[in-house]
Amino acid sequence: SVAPLRYKLTAEGTQVRTRADRIEEIMSLNRYLGMLFWIIALASLIGGAGCLLANVYASVERRRRELAVLRLLGVHGLRLCVFPLTSALLLTVGGLALSLAVFHALAHTINQVFSSQLSAGEAFCALSIEQQALACLLAMSLALVAGLMAARRVLSIEPSESLRDE
């Protein structure tokens, strides 16, 4: 808001010197850094979702024989789907807890390093509670999708597969 204020004061006849060009450069840098952050976040999100899906799916494949025996014994539907859903959700909760702990430790360190350039109460590296909640919601949604995809695979296991290995 410096540039409009400068024009207003100049129109009123007040002589003003500003660093509006420098402010605009910093604002531009902020926009580019924000775009870079979102590109990295999107790439991380896609990679994390792929890893989670592969992990849960591989877990189902490793336990294929045991799941087939359970199907042979009459365990069907939702009871069988609990395994991959729980696995995906627990993995995600653990990953979220670890990543938030690492973030807060690093943010504290970064803010300490730059404390001489910051005013009281300012932070160089911070995520609001809303941003953290959104990240958790997004991660849990991805875990649910990965778990449901693995559950679909569980439901396609034929009970007769357990007899073939015997």
Side-chain angles (χ1 to χ4, degrees), residues 68-152:
V69 169
L70 287 173
R71 296 246 0 217
L72 189 64
L73 293 174
V75 179
H76 296 289
L78 183 61
R79 288 185 179 159
L80 215 51
C81 292
V82 168
F83 165 68
L85 285 170
T86 304
S87 178
L89 291 173
L90 286 175
L91 255 169
T92 302
V93 167
L96 277 170
L98 181 63
S99 64
L100 285 174
V102 168
F103 166 76
H104 285 289
L106 288 175
H108 178 72
T109 303
I110 290 169
N111 288 331
Q112 287 297 318
V113 168
F114 291 102
S115 63
S116 62
Q117 285 84 21
L118 300 172
S119 299
E122 284 185 325
F124 185 77
C125 181
L127 284 177
S128 69
I129 295 296
E130 293 83 13
Q131 290 169 326
Q132 293 177 53
L134 179 63
C136 290
L137 179 67
L138 189 57
M140 296 307 283
S141 299
L142 285 172
L144 188 62
V145 169
L148 288 173
M149 291 177 77
R152 185 174 165 206

Side-chain angles (χ1 to χ4, degrees), residues 2-3 6 16-21 23:
V2 171
R6 182 182 79 191
V16 181
R17 284 184 62 189
T18 66
R19 302 281 315 255
D21 56 334
I23 292 170

Side-chain angles (χ1 to χ4, degrees), residues 13-89:
T14 306
Q15 194 69 345
V16 181
R17 284 184 62 189
T18 66
R19 302 281 315 255
D21 56 334
R22 181 73 178 134
I23 292 170
E24 184 54 40
E25 287 175 15
I26 291 173
M27 297 291 283
S28 178
L29 178 64
N30 186 41
R31 280 190 300 273
Y32 290 130
L33 287 174
M35 286 189 318
L36 179 63
F37 168 78
W38 284 111
I39 290 169
I40 292 170
L42 182 62
S44 299
L45 183 70
I46 291 168
C51 287
L52 180 65
L53 180 60
N55 189 321
V56 175
Y57 194 81
S59 179
V60 167
E61 290 301 316
R62 281 191 304 271
R63 290 173 177 79
R64 189 175 181 85
R65 183 168 178 251
E66 291 86 358
L67 292 168
V69 169
L70 287 173
R71 296 246 0 217
L72 189 64
L73 293 174
V75 179
H76 296 289
L78 183 61
R79 288 185 179 159
L80 215 51
C81 292
V82 168
F83 165 68
L85 285 170
T86 304
S87 178
L89 291 173

